[in-house]
Amino acid sequence: MKYRIEHDTMGEVQVPANSYWGAQTQRSKMNFQIGPEGSMPEEIIHAFAFLKKAAALANAELGVLSKEKAMLIGKAANEILEGKLDGNFPLVIWQTGSGTQSNMNMNEVIANRGHVINGGSLNDSNKSLHPNDDVNKSQSTNDTFPAAIQISVVNEIIKNLVPTIRELTKILDKKSEEWKDLIKIGRTHFQDAVPLTFGQEISGWSEQLKDAENAIIMSLNELYFLPLGGTAVGTGIDCPKGFCEESIKSISDDTNLMFYKSKN
């Protein structure tokens, strides 16, 4: 396998020549050889890409990141969301701290891919984007990782869980009507009880699922509050005023999901 040399504060490290990740990802890959490679869920990776694009747009709007850099970050993030950079997220779920390596994996992939989109090469010593100073600007793992988890959970609930529940209740309602005249013996305390129709019994299952769906949707209100912008210890240090609100707005505008808000 051919390699290129990447650098970090610990020195040089060999990275596969055509991979978009950098030194910190490679070190984690070498130090945590536990379980299957690339076991971080795809939903988390996509949520991270969402988040990085939104953060870049917010930083550009606040004047702390150039629009050119924000555009490159957005383009690279879009490619991740489209599945074009699959294979560049090799880390396992076993990591130090709060998932710093996955945050850096995303930062490095976006920075390197953005540089290539801008006409550069992975072997260039000076690149268009810096993974920390640009892609991770106004952020830390302590706010990005939980924010990515929440975004991924909201997406999965809205895109997959709720539609599945509704499809199941639709089928149960149909069966309830179909079997409304089918009489059976009820059961309470493991004994025969008064009769009811099979349709009535199934209608109870349907209502339970509808109640569960409503409870799940209500629980989303807390997931909409993202910790993004709190940075390392929640004080907002190194984060410009307005970043948190603007980054959430950017996520909302970009996905047409206007429910993302922030307590910060």
PDB file of all heavy atoms in Angstrom, residues 232-264:
ATOM      1  N   ALA A 232     -16.172  23.459  24.817  1.00  0.00           N
ATOM      2  CA  ALA A 232     -15.595  22.421  25.676  1.00  0.00           C
ATOM      3  C   ALA A 232     -16.315  22.211  27.000  1.00  0.00           C
ATOM      4  O   ALA A 232     -16.679  21.095  27.345  1.00  0.00           O
ATOM      5  CB  ALA A 232     -14.129  22.708  25.928  1.00  0.00           C
ATOM      6  N   VAL A 233     -16.522  23.264  27.781  1.00  0.00           N
ATOM      7  CA  VAL A 233     -17.125  23.086  29.106  1.00  0.00           C
ATOM      8  C   VAL A 233     -18.464  23.798  29.237  1.00  0.00           C
ATOM      9  O   VAL A 233     -18.971  23.994  30.342  1.00  0.00           O
ATOM     10  CB  VAL A 233     -16.161  23.558  30.217  1.00  0.00           C
ATOM     11  CG1 VAL A 233     -14.954  22.654  30.286  1.00  0.00           C
ATOM     12  CG2 VAL A 233     -15.737  25.012  29.997  1.00  0.00           C
ATOM     13  N   GLY A 234     -19.048  24.207  28.127  1.00  0.00           N
ATOM     14  CA  GLY A 234     -20.377  24.802  28.164  1.00  0.00           C
ATOM     15  C   GLY A 234     -20.417  26.296  28.351  1.00  0.00           C
ATOM     16  O   GLY A 234     -21.499  26.886  28.457  1.00  0.00           O
ATOM     17  N   THR A 235     -19.253  26.958  28.391  1.00  0.00           N
ATOM     18  CA  THR A 235     -19.224  28.405  28.609  1.00  0.00           C
ATOM     19  C   THR A 235     -19.343  29.201  27.318  1.00  0.00           C
ATOM     20  O   THR A 235     -19.570  30.402  27.350  1.00  0.00           O
ATOM     21  CB  THR A 235     -17.919  28.818  29.295  1.00  0.00           C
ATOM     22  OG1 THR A 235     -16.822  28.503  28.422  1.00  0.00           O
ATOM     23  CG2 THR A 235     -17.746  28.091  30.617  1.00  0.00           C
ATOM     24  N   GLY A 236     -19.144  28.530  26.182  1.00  0.00           N
ATOM     25  CA  GLY A 236     -19.150  29.232  24.904  1.00  0.00           C
ATOM     26  C   GLY A 236     -17.816  29.876  24.581  1.00  0.00           C
ATOM     27  O   GLY A 236     -17.708  30.683  23.654  1.00  0.00           O
ATOM     28  N   ILE A 237     -16.774  29.518  25.333  1.00  0.00           N
ATOM     29  CA  ILE A 237     -15.453  30.094  25.103  1.00  0.00           C
ATOM     30  C   ILE A 237     -14.987  29.806  23.679  1.00  0.00           C
ATOM     31  O   ILE A 237     -15.207  28.728  23.137  1.00  0.00           O
ATOM     32  CB  ILE A 237     -14.438  29.541  26.139  1.00  0.00           C
ATOM     33  CG1 ILE A 237     -13.117  30.307  26.055  1.00  0.00           C
ATOM     34  CG2 ILE A 237     -14.210  28.056  25.939  1.00  0.00           C
ATOM     35  CD1 ILE A 237     -12.150  29.968  27.182  1.00  0.00           C
ATOM     36  N   ASP A 238     -14.354  30.802  23.052  1.00  0.00           N
ATOM     37  CA  ASP A 238     -13.858  30.712  21.671  1.00  0.00           C
ATOM     38  C   ASP A 238     -14.985  30.581  20.649  1.00  0.00           C
ATOM     39  O   ASP A 238     -14.748  30.195  19.511  1.00  0.00           O
ATOM     40  CB  ASP A 238     -12.876  29.538  21.496  1.00  0.00           C
ATOM     41  CG  ASP A 238     -11.568  29.775  22.228  1.00  0.00           C
ATOM     42  OD1 ASP A 238     -11.200  30.951  22.379  1.00  0.00           O
ATOM     43  OD2 ASP A 238     -10.932  28.797  22.632  1.00  0.00           O
ATOM     44  N   CYS A 239     -16.198  30.900  21.061  1.00  0.00           N
ATOM     45  CA  CYS A 239     -17.332  30.822  20.150  1.00  0.00           C
ATOM     46  C   CYS A 239     -17.933  32.219  20.018  1.00  0.00           C
ATOM     47  O   CYS A 239     -18.334  32.806  21.022  1.00  0.00           O
ATOM     48  CB  CYS A 239     -18.379  29.851  20.695  1.00  0.00           C
ATOM     49  SG  CYS A 239     -19.791  29.619  19.623  1.00  0.00           S
ATOM     50  N   PRO A 240     -17.997  32.792  18.807  1.00  0.00           N
ATOM     51  CA  PRO A 240     -18.528  34.148  18.656  1.00  0.00           C
ATOM     52  C   PRO A 240     -19.996  34.227  19.035  1.00  0.00           C
ATOM     53  O   PRO A 240     -20.750  33.275  18.840  1.00  0.00           O
ATOM     54  CB  PRO A 240     -18.325  34.443  17.166  1.00  0.00           C
ATOM     55  CG  PRO A 240     -18.282  33.108  16.523  1.00  0.00           C
ATOM     56  CD  PRO A 240     -17.626  32.201  17.519  1.00  0.00           C
ATOM     57  N   LYS A 241     -20.403  35.341  19.585  1.00  0.00           N
ATOM     58  CA  LYS A 241     -21.799  35.542  19.959  1.00  0.00           C
ATOM     59  C   LYS A 241     -22.688  35.386  18.732  1.00  0.00           C
ATOM     60  O   LYS A 241     -22.418  35.951  17.679  1.00  0.00           O
ATOM     61  CB  LYS A 241     -21.984  36.930  20.560  1.00  0.00           C
ATOM     62  CG  LYS A 241     -23.399  37.172  21.085  1.00  0.00           C
ATOM     63  CD  LYS A 241     -23.520  38.549  21.719  1.00  0.00           C
ATOM     64  CE  LYS A 241     -24.948  38.769  22.234  1.00  0.00           C
ATOM     65  NZ  LYS A 241     -25.101  40.099  22.864  1.00  0.00           N
ATOM     66  N   GLY A 242     -23.725  34.591  18.885  1.00  0.00           N
ATOM     67  CA  GLY A 242     -24.644  34.370  17.765  1.00  0.00           C
ATOM     68  C   GLY A 242     -24.371  33.098  17.006  1.00  0.00           C
ATOM     69  O   GLY A 242     -25.195  32.673  16.205  1.00  0.00           O
ATOM     70  N   PHE A 243     -23.217  32.464  17.256  1.00  0.00           N
ATOM     71  CA  PHE A 243     -22.879  31.253  16.488  1.00  0.00           C
ATOM     72  C   PHE A 243     -23.911  30.164  16.685  1.00  0.00           C
ATOM     73  O   PHE A 243     -24.379  29.550  15.743  1.00  0.00           O
ATOM     74  CB  PHE A 243     -21.502  30.718  16.875  1.00  0.00           C
ATOM     75  CG  PHE A 243     -21.234  29.317  16.368  1.00  0.00           C
ATOM     76  CD1 PHE A 243     -20.846  29.122  15.051  1.00  0.00           C
ATOM     77  CD2 PHE A 243     -21.411  28.211  17.174  1.00  0.00           C
ATOM     78  CE1 PHE A 243     -20.628  27.844  14.565  1.00  0.00           C
ATOM     79  CE2 PHE A 243     -21.194  26.929  16.691  1.00  0.00           C
ATOM     80  CZ  PHE A 243     -20.799  26.751  15.387  1.00  0.00           C
ATOM     81  N   CYS A 244     -24.257  29.910  17.952  1.00  0.00           N
ATOM     82  CA  CYS A 244     -25.156  28.787  18.236  1.00  0.00           C
ATOM     83  C   CYS A 244     -26.497  28.978  17.535  1.00  0.00           C
ATOM     84  O   CYS A 244     -26.989  28.092  16.850  1.00  0.00           O
ATOM     85  CB  CYS A 244     -25.370  28.652  19.727  1.00  0.00           C
ATOM     86  SG  CYS A 244     -26.120  27.083  20.192  1.00  0.00           S
ATOM     87  N   GLU A 245     -27.071  30.172  17.676  1.00  0.00           N
ATOM     88  CA  GLU A 245     -28.353  30.429  17.047  1.00  0.00           C
ATOM     89  C   GLU A 245     -28.265  30.335  15.531  1.00  0.00           C
ATOM     90  O   GLU A 245     -29.134  29.758  14.869  1.00  0.00           O
ATOM     91  CB  GLU A 245     -28.871  31.808  17.454  1.00  0.00           C
ATOM     92  CG  GLU A 245     -29.248  31.916  18.928  1.00  0.00           C
ATOM     93  CD  GLU A 245     -28.052  32.150  19.835  1.00  0.00           C
ATOM     94  OE1 GLU A 245     -26.924  32.249  19.314  1.00  0.00           O
ATOM     95  OE2 GLU A 245     -28.243  32.216  21.059  1.00  0.00           O
ATOM     96  N   GLU A 246     -27.187  30.902  14.970  1.00  0.00           N
ATOM     97  CA  GLU A 246     -27.046  30.898  13.516  1.00  0.00           C
ATOM     98  C   GLU A 246     -26.769  29.503  12.976  1.00  0.00           C
ATOM     99  O   GLU A 246     -27.240  29.135  11.898  1.00  0.00           O
ATOM    100  CB  GLU A 246     -25.930  31.856  13.083  1.00  0.00           C
ATOM    101  CG  GLU A 246     -26.263  33.315  13.314  1.00  0.00           C
ATOM    102  CD  GLU A 246     -27.512  33.745  12.580  1.00  0.00           C
ATOM    103  OE1 GLU A 246     -27.760  33.252  11.462  1.00  0.00           O
ATOM    104  OE2 GLU A 246     -28.262  34.562  13.127  1.00  0.00           O
ATOM    105  N   SER A 247     -26.008  28.712  13.711  1.00  0.00           N
ATOM    106  CA  SER A 247     -25.709  27.363  13.231  1.00  0.00           C
ATOM    107  C   SER A 247     -26.963  26.503  13.216  1.00  0.00           C
ATOM    108  O   SER A 247     -27.190  25.725  12.292  1.00  0.00           O
ATOM    109  CB  SER A 247     -24.631  26.709  14.099  1.00  0.00           C
ATOM    110  OG  SER A 247     -25.066  26.583  15.438  1.00  0.00           O
ATOM    111  N   ILE A 248     -27.817  26.655  14.232  1.00  0.00           N
ATOM    112  CA  ILE A 248     -29.058  25.890  14.274  1.00  0.00           C
ATOM    113  C   ILE A 248     -29.971  26.350  13.153  1.00  0.00           C
ATOM    114  O   ILE A 248     -30.617  25.550  12.490  1.00  0.00           O
ATOM    115  CB  ILE A 248     -29.752  26.050  15.638  1.00  0.00           C
ATOM    116  CG1 ILE A 248     -28.808  25.677  16.772  1.00  0.00           C
ATOM    117  CG2 ILE A 248     -31.005  25.189  15.698  1.00  0.00           C
ATOM    118  CD1 ILE A 248     -28.140  24.333  16.614  1.00  0.00           C
ATOM    119  N   LYS A 249     -30.014  27.655  12.912  1.00  0.00           N
ATOM    120  CA  LYS A 249     -30.818  28.176  11.813  1.00  0.00           C
ATOM    121  C   LYS A 249     -30.330  27.616  10.485  1.00  0.00           C
ATOM    122  O   LYS A 249     -31.120  27.255   9.609  1.00  0.00           O
ATOM    123  CB  LYS A 249     -30.748  29.706  11.788  1.00  0.00           C
ATOM    124  CG  LYS A 249     -31.499  30.368  10.621  1.00  0.00           C
ATOM    125  CD  LYS A 249     -31.400  31.874  10.735  1.00  0.00           C
ATOM    126  CE  LYS A 249     -32.113  32.546   9.566  1.00  0.00           C
ATOM    127  NZ  LYS A 249     -31.449  32.305   8.281  1.00  0.00           N
ATOM    128  N   SER A 250     -29.008  27.506  10.347  1.00  0.00           N
ATOM    129  CA  SER A 250     -28.447  26.962   9.110  1.00  0.00           C
ATOM    130  C   SER A 250     -28.851  25.510   8.913  1.00  0.00           C
ATOM    131  O   SER A 250     -29.172  25.086   7.807  1.00  0.00           O
ATOM    132  CB  SER A 250     -26.917  27.084   9.125  1.00  0.00           C
ATOM    133  OG  SER A 250     -26.519  28.431   9.148  1.00  0.00           O
ATOM    134  N   ILE A 251     -28.827  24.734   9.996  1.00  0.00           N
ATOM    135  CA  ILE A 251     -29.273  23.347   9.904  1.00  0.00           C
ATOM    136  C   ILE A 251     -30.729  23.309   9.476  1.00  0.00           C
ATOM    137  O   ILE A 251     -31.128  22.552   8.599  1.00  0.00           O
ATOM    138  CB  ILE A 251     -29.095  22.623  11.252  1.00  0.00           C
ATOM    139  CG1 ILE A 251     -27.614  22.433  11.561  1.00  0.00           C
ATOM    140  CG2 ILE A 251     -29.786  21.267  11.241  1.00  0.00           C
ATOM    141  CD1 ILE A 251     -27.321  21.816  12.899  1.00  0.00           C
ATOM    142  N   SER A 252     -31.550  24.162  10.085  1.00  0.00           N
ATOM    143  CA  SER A 252     -32.977  24.187   9.768  1.00  0.00           C
ATOM    144  C   SER A 252     -33.212  24.550   8.314  1.00  0.00           C
ATOM    145  O   SER A 252     -33.963  23.893   7.601  1.00  0.00           O
ATOM    146  CB  SER A 252     -33.684  25.197  10.674  1.00  0.00           C
ATOM    147  OG  SER A 252     -33.526  24.869  12.026  1.00  0.00           O
ATOM    148  N   ASP A 253     -32.560  25.615   7.856  1.00  0.00           N
ATOM    149  CA  ASP A 253     -32.753  26.058   6.482  1.00  0.00           C
ATOM    150  C   ASP A 253     -32.283  25.012   5.486  1.00  0.00           C
ATOM    151  O   ASP A 253     -32.918  24.769   4.465  1.00  0.00           O
ATOM    152  CB  ASP A 253     -31.995  27.373   6.235  1.00  0.00           C
ATOM    153  CG  ASP A 253     -32.597  28.525   7.027  1.00  0.00           C
ATOM    154  OD1 ASP A 253     -33.742  28.373   7.498  1.00  0.00           O
ATOM    155  OD2 ASP A 253     -31.929  29.558   7.169  1.00  0.00           O
ATOM    156  N   ASP A 254     -31.158  24.386   5.798  1.00  0.00           N
ATOM    157  CA  ASP A 254     -30.565  23.451   4.849  1.00  0.00           C
ATOM    158  C   ASP A 254     -31.383  22.177   4.704  1.00  0.00           C
ATOM    159  O   ASP A 254     -31.407  21.554   3.661  1.00  0.00           O
ATOM    160  CB  ASP A 254     -29.145  23.100   5.300  1.00  0.00           C
ATOM    161  CG  ASP A 254     -28.389  22.317   4.255  1.00  0.00           C
ATOM    162  OD1 ASP A 254     -28.389  22.764   3.089  1.00  0.00           O
ATOM    163  OD2 ASP A 254     -27.831  21.277   4.582  1.00  0.00           O
ATOM    164  N   THR A 255     -32.067  21.769   5.755  1.00  0.00           N
ATOM    165  CA  THR A 255     -32.799  20.505   5.735  1.00  0.00           C
ATOM    166  C   THR A 255     -34.309  20.695   5.665  1.00  0.00           C
ATOM    167  O   THR A 255     -35.055  19.729   5.608  1.00  0.00           O
ATOM    168  CB  THR A 255     -32.484  19.677   6.994  1.00  0.00           C
ATOM    169  OG1 THR A 255     -32.945  20.404   8.134  1.00  0.00           O
ATOM    170  CG2 THR A 255     -31.011  19.420   7.116  1.00  0.00           C
ATOM    171  N   ASN A 256     -34.734  21.954   5.707  1.00  0.00           N
ATOM    172  CA  ASN A 256     -36.165  22.267   5.719  1.00  0.00           C
ATOM    173  C   ASN A 256     -36.842  21.699   6.955  1.00  0.00           C
ATOM    174  O   ASN A 256     -38.036  21.415   6.955  1.00  0.00           O
ATOM    175  CB  ASN A 256     -36.874  21.763   4.457  1.00  0.00           C
ATOM    176  CG  ASN A 256     -38.199  22.482   4.230  1.00  0.00           C
ATOM    177  OD1 ASN A 256     -38.350  23.626   4.634  1.00  0.00           O
ATOM    178  ND2 ASN A 256     -39.141  21.809   3.601  1.00  0.00           N
ATOM    179  N   LEU A 257     -36.067  21.509   8.029  1.00  0.00           N
ATOM    180  CA  LEU A 257     -36.615  21.062   9.306  1.00  0.00           C
ATOM    181  C   LEU A 257     -36.442  22.213  10.293  1.00  0.00           C
ATOM    182  O   LEU A 257     -35.383  22.372  10.877  1.00  0.00           O
ATOM    183  CB  LEU A 257     -35.886  19.803   9.805  1.00  0.00           C
ATOM    184  CG  LEU A 257     -35.950  18.589   8.887  1.00  0.00           C
ATOM    185  CD1 LEU A 257     -35.114  17.457   9.464  1.00  0.00           C
ATOM    186  CD2 LEU A 257     -37.389  18.121   8.706  1.00  0.00           C
ATOM    187  N   MET A 258     -37.468  23.004  10.428  1.00  0.00           N
ATOM    188  CA  MET A 258     -37.345  24.242  11.188  1.00  0.00           C
ATOM    189  C   MET A 258     -37.441  24.044  12.700  1.00  0.00           C
ATOM    190  O   MET A 258     -37.554  24.988  13.458  1.00  0.00           O
ATOM    191  CB  MET A 258     -38.437  25.226  10.736  1.00  0.00           C
ATOM    192  CG  MET A 258     -38.336  25.632   9.282  1.00  0.00           C
ATOM    193  SD  MET A 258     -36.748  26.380   8.874  1.00  0.00           S
ATOM    194  CE  MET A 258     -36.844  27.901   9.798  1.00  0.00           C
ATOM    195  N   PHE A 259     -37.400  22.774  13.156  1.00  0.00           N
ATOM    196  CA  PHE A 259     -37.582  22.550  14.575  1.00  0.00           C
ATOM    197  C   PHE A 259     -36.299  22.559  15.383  1.00  0.00           C
ATOM    198  O   PHE A 259     -36.316  22.411  16.589  1.00  0.00           O
ATOM    199  CB  PHE A 259     -38.306  21.225  14.826  1.00  0.00           C
ATOM    200  CG  PHE A 259     -37.794  20.076  14.028  1.00  0.00           C
ATOM    201  CD1 PHE A 259     -36.521  19.546  14.244  1.00  0.00           C
ATOM    202  CD2 PHE A 259     -38.580  19.523  13.043  1.00  0.00           C
ATOM    203  CE1 PHE A 259     -36.068  18.479  13.508  1.00  0.00           C
ATOM    204  CE2 PHE A 259     -38.103  18.445  12.299  1.00  0.00           C
ATOM    205  CZ  PHE A 259     -36.873  17.933  12.531  1.00  0.00           C
ATOM    206  N   TYR A 260     -35.122  22.676  14.742  1.00  0.00           N
ATOM    207  CA  TYR A 260     -33.885  22.702  15.508  1.00  0.00           C
ATOM    208  C   TYR A 260     -33.747  24.048  16.210  1.00  0.00           C
ATOM    209  O   TYR A 260     -33.810  25.103  15.583  1.00  0.00           O
ATOM    210  CB  TYR A 260     -32.670  22.474  14.600  1.00  0.00           C
ATOM    211  CG  TYR A 260     -32.573  21.076  14.094  1.00  0.00           C
ATOM    212  CD1 TYR A 260     -32.867  20.770  12.783  1.00  0.00           C
ATOM    213  CD2 TYR A 260     -32.190  20.044  14.938  1.00  0.00           C
ATOM    214  CE1 TYR A 260     -32.781  19.478  12.315  1.00  0.00           C
ATOM    215  CE2 TYR A 260     -32.108  18.746  14.478  1.00  0.00           C
ATOM    216  CZ  TYR A 260     -32.394  18.476  13.170  1.00  0.00           C
ATOM    217  OH  TYR A 260     -32.311  17.190  12.698  1.00  0.00           O
ATOM    218  N   LYS A 261     -33.611  24.019  17.505  1.00  0.00           N
ATOM    219  CA  LYS A 261     -33.462  25.237  18.299  1.00  0.00           C
ATOM    220  C   LYS A 261     -32.328  25.051  19.293  1.00  0.00           C
ATOM    221  O   LYS A 261     -31.742  23.971  19.386  1.00  0.00           O
ATOM    222  CB  LYS A 261     -34.772  25.556  19.039  1.00  0.00           C
ATOM    223  CG  LYS A 261     -35.965  25.746  18.122  1.00  0.00           C
ATOM    224  CD  LYS A 261     -37.231  25.955  18.936  1.00  0.00           C
ATOM    225  CE  LYS A 261     -38.436  26.076  18.017  1.00  0.00           C
ATOM    226  NZ  LYS A 261     -39.695  26.211  18.789  1.00  0.00           N
ATOM    227  N   SER A 262     -32.032  26.067  20.063  1.00  0.00           N
ATOM    228  CA  SER A 262     -30.966  25.932  21.051  1.00  0.00           C
ATOM    229  C   SER A 262     -31.315  26.662  22.338  1.00  0.00           C
ATOM    230  O   SER A 262     -31.936  27.708  22.316  1.00  0.00           O
ATOM    231  CB  SER A 262     -29.652  26.467  20.504  1.00  0.00           C
ATOM    232  OG  SER A 262     -28.678  26.468  21.503  1.00  0.00           O
ATOM    233  N   LYS A 263     -30.919  26.086  23.449  1.00  0.00           N
ATOM    234  CA  LYS A 263     -31.104  26.743  24.737  1.00  0.00           C
ATOM    235  C   LYS A 263     -30.010  27.792  24.981  1.00  0.00           C
ATOM    236  O   LYS A 263     -30.144  28.614  25.885  1.00  0.00           O
ATOM    237  CB  LYS A 263     -31.055  25.706  25.871  1.00  0.00           C
ATOM    238  CG  LYS A 263     -32.319  24.853  25.942  1.00  0.00           C
ATOM    239  CD  LYS A 263     -32.202  23.874  27.100  1.00  0.00           C
ATOM    240  CE  LYS A 263     -33.485  23.055  27.237  1.00  0.00           C
ATOM    241  NZ  LYS A 263     -33.369  22.044  28.308  1.00  0.00           N
ATOM    242  N   ASN A 264     -28.926  27.715  24.202  1.00  0.00           N
ATOM    243  CA  ASN A 264     -27.789  28.605  24.470  1.00  0.00           C
ATOM    244  C   ASN A 264     -27.961  29.931  23.759  1.00  0.00           C
ATOM    245  O   ASN A 264     -27.207  30.278  22.910  1.00  0.00           O
ATOM    246  CB  ASN A 264     -26.489  27.907  24.027  1.00  0.00           C
ATOM    247  CG  ASN A 264     -26.255  26.650  24.842  1.00  0.00           C
ATOM    248  OD1 ASN A 264     -26.473  26.662  26.043  1.00  0.00           O
ATOM    249  ND2 ASN A 264     -25.815  25.576  24.201  1.00  0.00           N
TER     250      ASN A 264
END
